[in-house]
Short mmCIF file of all heavy atoms in Angstrom, two decimals:
data_model
loop_
_atom_site.label_atom_id
_atom_site.label_comp_id
_atom_site.label_asym_id
_atom_site.label_seq_id
_atom_site.Cartn_x
_atom_site.Cartn_y
_atom_site.Cartn_z
N ALA A 139 71.85 -16.18 -22.29
CA ALA A 139 70.55 -16.79 -22.54
C ALA A 139 70.10 -16.54 -23.98
O ALA A 139 69.55 -17.43 -24.63
CB ALA A 139 69.52 -16.21 -21.57
N ILE A 140 70.35 -15.34 -24.48
CA ILE A 140 69.98 -15.01 -25.85
C ILE A 140 70.71 -15.94 -26.82
O ILE A 140 70.13 -16.50 -27.75
CB ILE A 140 70.36 -13.55 -26.17
CG1 ILE A 140 69.56 -12.59 -25.31
CG2 ILE A 140 70.16 -13.24 -27.64
CD1 ILE A 140 68.14 -12.52 -25.65
N TRP A 141 71.99 -16.12 -26.56
CA TRP A 141 72.79 -16.97 -27.44
C TRP A 141 72.24 -18.40 -27.42
O TRP A 141 72.08 -19.04 -28.45
CB TRP A 141 74.25 -16.94 -27.00
CG TRP A 141 75.10 -17.85 -27.82
CD1 TRP A 141 75.62 -17.58 -29.04
CD2 TRP A 141 75.48 -19.19 -27.48
NE1 TRP A 141 76.30 -18.68 -29.49
CE2 TRP A 141 76.24 -19.69 -28.57
CE3 TRP A 141 75.25 -20.03 -26.38
CZ2 TRP A 141 76.77 -20.95 -28.58
CZ3 TRP A 141 75.79 -21.30 -26.40
CH2 TRP A 141 76.55 -21.75 -27.49
N LEU A 142 71.93 -18.88 -26.21
CA LEU A 142 71.44 -20.24 -26.05
C LEU A 142 70.10 -20.41 -26.77
O LEU A 142 69.86 -21.41 -27.46
CB LEU A 142 71.26 -20.53 -24.56
CG LEU A 142 71.41 -21.98 -24.13
CD1 LEU A 142 72.82 -22.45 -24.39
CD2 LEU A 142 71.06 -22.12 -22.65
N TYR A 143 69.24 -19.41 -26.64
CA TYR A 143 67.92 -19.47 -27.28
C TYR A 143 68.08 -19.52 -28.79
O TYR A 143 67.47 -20.34 -29.48
CB TYR A 143 67.12 -18.23 -26.86
CG TYR A 143 65.71 -18.19 -27.39
CD1 TYR A 143 64.69 -18.79 -26.68
CD2 TYR A 143 65.43 -17.55 -28.59
CE1 TYR A 143 63.40 -18.76 -27.16
CE2 TYR A 143 64.14 -17.52 -29.07
CZ TYR A 143 63.13 -18.13 -28.35
OH TYR A 143 61.86 -18.10 -28.83
N GLU A 144 68.92 -18.64 -29.30
CA GLU A 144 69.15 -18.58 -30.74
C GLU A 144 69.70 -19.92 -31.24
O GLU A 144 69.28 -20.44 -32.27
CB GLU A 144 70.13 -17.44 -31.01
CG GLU A 144 70.58 -17.28 -32.44
CD GLU A 144 69.59 -16.54 -33.28
OE1 GLU A 144 69.06 -15.52 -32.80
OE2 GLU A 144 69.32 -16.97 -34.41
N TYR A 145 70.60 -20.48 -30.45
CA TYR A 145 71.24 -21.74 -30.85
C TYR A 145 70.23 -22.87 -30.91
O TYR A 145 70.13 -23.59 -31.91
CB TYR A 145 72.35 -22.05 -29.84
CG TYR A 145 73.08 -23.35 -30.09
CD1 TYR A 145 74.02 -23.45 -31.10
CD2 TYR A 145 72.81 -24.47 -29.29
CE1 TYR A 145 74.68 -24.64 -31.32
CE2 TYR A 145 73.47 -25.66 -29.52
CZ TYR A 145 74.41 -25.75 -30.53
OH TYR A 145 75.05 -26.92 -30.76
N THR A 146 69.42 -23.03 -29.84
CA THR A 146 68.45 -24.13 -29.84
C THR A 146 67.38 -23.91 -30.89
O THR A 146 66.95 -24.86 -31.54
CB THR A 146 67.79 -24.27 -28.46
OG1 THR A 146 67.31 -23.00 -28.06
CG2 THR A 146 68.72 -24.82 -27.43
N ALA A 147 66.97 -22.65 -31.08
CA ALA A 147 65.93 -22.39 -32.08
C ALA A 147 66.44 -22.76 -33.46
O ALA A 147 65.73 -23.37 -34.26
CB ALA A 147 65.54 -20.92 -32.04
N ARG A 148 67.68 -22.42 -33.72
CA ARG A 148 68.23 -22.70 -35.03
C ARG A 148 68.31 -24.21 -35.27
O ARG A 148 68.13 -24.69 -36.37
CB ARG A 148 69.62 -22.07 -35.13
CG ARG A 148 69.91 -21.55 -36.50
CD ARG A 148 71.23 -20.84 -36.51
NE ARG A 148 71.08 -19.45 -36.14
CZ ARG A 148 72.08 -18.58 -36.23
NH1 ARG A 148 73.26 -18.96 -36.65
NH2 ARG A 148 71.90 -17.33 -35.89
N ARG A 149 68.61 -24.94 -34.22
CA ARG A 149 68.77 -26.38 -34.39
C ARG A 149 67.46 -27.14 -34.39
O ARG A 149 67.27 -28.07 -35.16
CB ARG A 149 69.67 -26.93 -33.28
CG ARG A 149 71.12 -26.71 -33.58
CD ARG A 149 71.98 -27.59 -32.74
NE ARG A 149 71.56 -28.98 -32.74
CZ ARG A 149 71.98 -29.87 -31.87
NH1 ARG A 149 72.80 -29.50 -30.92
NH2 ARG A 149 71.58 -31.11 -31.92
N ARG A 150 66.54 -26.75 -33.49
CA ARG A 150 65.36 -27.58 -33.28
C ARG A 150 64.13 -27.07 -34.00
O ARG A 150 63.30 -27.85 -34.44
CB ARG A 150 65.04 -27.64 -31.78
CG ARG A 150 66.18 -28.18 -30.97
CD ARG A 150 65.72 -29.28 -30.05
NE ARG A 150 66.87 -29.91 -29.45
CZ ARG A 150 67.27 -29.66 -28.21
NH1 ARG A 150 66.58 -28.84 -27.46
NH2 ARG A 150 68.32 -30.25 -27.72
N VAL A 151 63.97 -25.75 -34.08
CA VAL A 151 62.70 -25.20 -34.54
C VAL A 151 62.72 -24.80 -36.00
O VAL A 151 61.80 -25.10 -36.75
CB VAL A 151 62.30 -24.00 -33.65
CG1 VAL A 151 61.01 -23.39 -34.15
CG2 VAL A 151 62.15 -24.45 -32.21
N ASP A 152 63.79 -24.15 -36.41
CA ASP A 152 63.82 -23.61 -37.77
C ASP A 152 63.59 -24.64 -38.87
O ASP A 152 62.79 -24.41 -39.77
CB ASP A 152 65.14 -22.88 -38.01
CG ASP A 152 65.11 -21.48 -37.43
OD1 ASP A 152 64.03 -21.10 -36.94
OD2 ASP A 152 66.13 -20.79 -37.47
N PRO A 153 64.27 -25.79 -38.82
CA PRO A 153 64.06 -26.77 -39.90
C PRO A 153 62.60 -27.20 -39.99
O PRO A 153 62.06 -27.34 -41.10
CB PRO A 153 64.94 -27.95 -39.48
CG PRO A 153 65.92 -27.40 -38.53
CD PRO A 153 65.26 -26.26 -37.85
N LEU A 154 61.95 -27.37 -38.84
CA LEU A 154 60.54 -27.77 -38.84
C LEU A 154 59.68 -26.69 -39.46
O LEU A 154 58.83 -26.97 -40.31
CB LEU A 154 60.09 -28.00 -37.40
CG LEU A 154 60.44 -29.33 -36.79
CD1 LEU A 154 60.10 -29.31 -35.32
CD2 LEU A 154 59.66 -30.42 -37.49
N ALA A 155 59.89 -25.45 -39.04
CA ALA A 155 59.10 -24.34 -39.57
C ALA A 155 59.30 -24.24 -41.07
O ALA A 155 58.34 -24.02 -41.83
CB ALA A 155 59.49 -23.04 -38.88
N ASP A 156 60.51 -24.44 -41.53
CA ASP A 156 60.80 -24.39 -42.96
C ASP A 156 59.98 -25.43 -43.71
O ASP A 156 59.40 -25.16 -44.75
CB ASP A 156 62.28 -24.68 -43.21
CG ASP A 156 63.13 -23.45 -42.97
OD1 ASP A 156 62.53 -22.37 -42.86
OD2 ASP A 156 64.36 -23.59 -42.88
N ARG A 157 59.95 -26.62 -43.13
CA ARG A 157 59.27 -27.72 -43.80
C ARG A 157 57.78 -27.41 -43.93
O ARG A 157 57.18 -27.59 -44.97
CB ARG A 157 59.48 -29.01 -43.02
CG ARG A 157 59.03 -30.22 -43.74
CD ARG A 157 60.07 -31.31 -43.64
NE ARG A 157 60.57 -31.45 -42.28
CZ ARG A 157 60.08 -32.35 -41.43
NH1 ARG A 157 59.08 -33.11 -41.78
NH2 ARG A 157 60.60 -32.46 -40.24
N ILE A 158 57.20 -26.92 -42.82
CA ILE A 158 55.77 -26.63 -42.85
C ILE A 158 55.47 -25.53 -43.84
O ILE A 158 54.50 -25.59 -44.59
CB ILE A 158 55.30 -26.24 -41.43
CG1 ILE A 158 55.28 -27.49 -40.57
CG2 ILE A 158 53.94 -25.60 -41.48
CD1 ILE A 158 54.97 -27.25 -39.14
N ARG A 159 56.35 -24.54 -43.89
CA ARG A 159 56.12 -23.44 -44.82
C ARG A 159 56.20 -23.94 -46.25
O ARG A 159 55.43 -23.54 -47.11
CB ARG A 159 57.13 -22.33 -44.57
CG ARG A 159 56.47 -21.00 -44.58
CD ARG A 159 57.35 -19.88 -44.15
NE ARG A 159 58.74 -20.13 -44.18
CZ ARG A 159 59.55 -19.87 -43.16
NH1 ARG A 159 59.04 -19.38 -42.06
NH2 ARG A 159 60.82 -20.09 -43.25
N ALA A 160 57.14 -24.82 -46.50
CA ALA A 160 57.28 -25.35 -47.86
C ALA A 160 56.03 -26.12 -48.25
O ALA A 160 55.52 -25.98 -49.37
CB ALA A 160 58.50 -26.24 -47.93
N HIS A 161 55.50 -26.91 -47.33
CA HIS A 161 54.27 -27.64 -47.59
C HIS A 161 53.14 -26.69 -47.91
O HIS A 161 52.39 -26.89 -48.85
CB HIS A 161 53.88 -28.47 -46.36
CG HIS A 161 54.62 -29.76 -46.28
ND1 HIS A 161 54.75 -30.58 -47.36
CD2 HIS A 161 55.26 -30.35 -45.26
CE1 HIS A 161 55.45 -31.65 -46.99
NE2 HIS A 161 55.78 -31.52 -45.72
#
Side-chain angles (χ1 to χ4, degrees):
Chain A
I140 295 290
W141 177 81
L142 208 64
Y143 183 88
E144 175 81 44
Y145 178 77
T146 50
R148 215 175 273 188
R149 280 197 49 195
R150 302 231 171 102
V151 178
D152 279 355
L154 278 172
D156 280 348
R157 190 134 46 95
I158 287 174
R159 224 172 18 230
H161 278 313

